[in-house]
Amino acid sequence: PKTSLSVFKDKKTGKAYVFRETKEGIELSFQSTSENAVIMYKDYLDLKFFSEDALSFRQRKLIKTHNPDMDNPFLVIYYFKQ
């Protein structure tokens, strides 16, 4: 069951956006945010962590060959549209 909610507020308009996942099915469980990005860290592969449609061929290849016992964890940064 999905329990966490993401809440973002547009400082210019004051409008709040509340959602459980993005339209791509990604649950934003993030470690840090900035003015224009969300930084997510996972030490294992989770299909809800990223959308393969948004990745390049090279990025998809890295994920498929990732060895969690030997390789560094993934750091994913989502930039907000301006």
Side-chain angles (χ1 to χ4, degrees), residues 8 19 28 30 33-38 78-82:
F8 289 88
F19 54 93
L28 296 179
F30 47 86
T33 62
S34 70
E35 286 289 320
N36 64 347
V38 172
Y78 284 101
Y79 292 98
F80 300 126
K81 290 183 179 180
Q82 298 281 325

Side-chain angles (χ1 to χ4, degrees), residues 27-44:
E27 296 177 44
L28 296 179
S29 172
F30 47 86
Q31 270 51 46
S32 182
T33 62
S34 70
E35 286 289 320
N36 64 347
V38 172
I39 301 171
M40 299 171 54
Y41 164 87
K42 295 271 185 174
D43 57 358
Y44 58 92

Side-chain angles (χ1 to χ4, degrees), residues 29 31 40-50 63 66-69 71-76:
S29 172
Q31 270 51 46
M40 299 171 54
Y41 164 87
K42 295 271 185 174
D43 57 358
Y44 58 92
L45 292 179
D46 181 354
L47 294 179
K48 294 285 187 181
F49 185 47
F50 58 88
I63 290 169
H66 182 262
N67 179 345
D69 295 327
D71 298 334
N72 289 327
F74 288 101
L75 178 68
V76 176

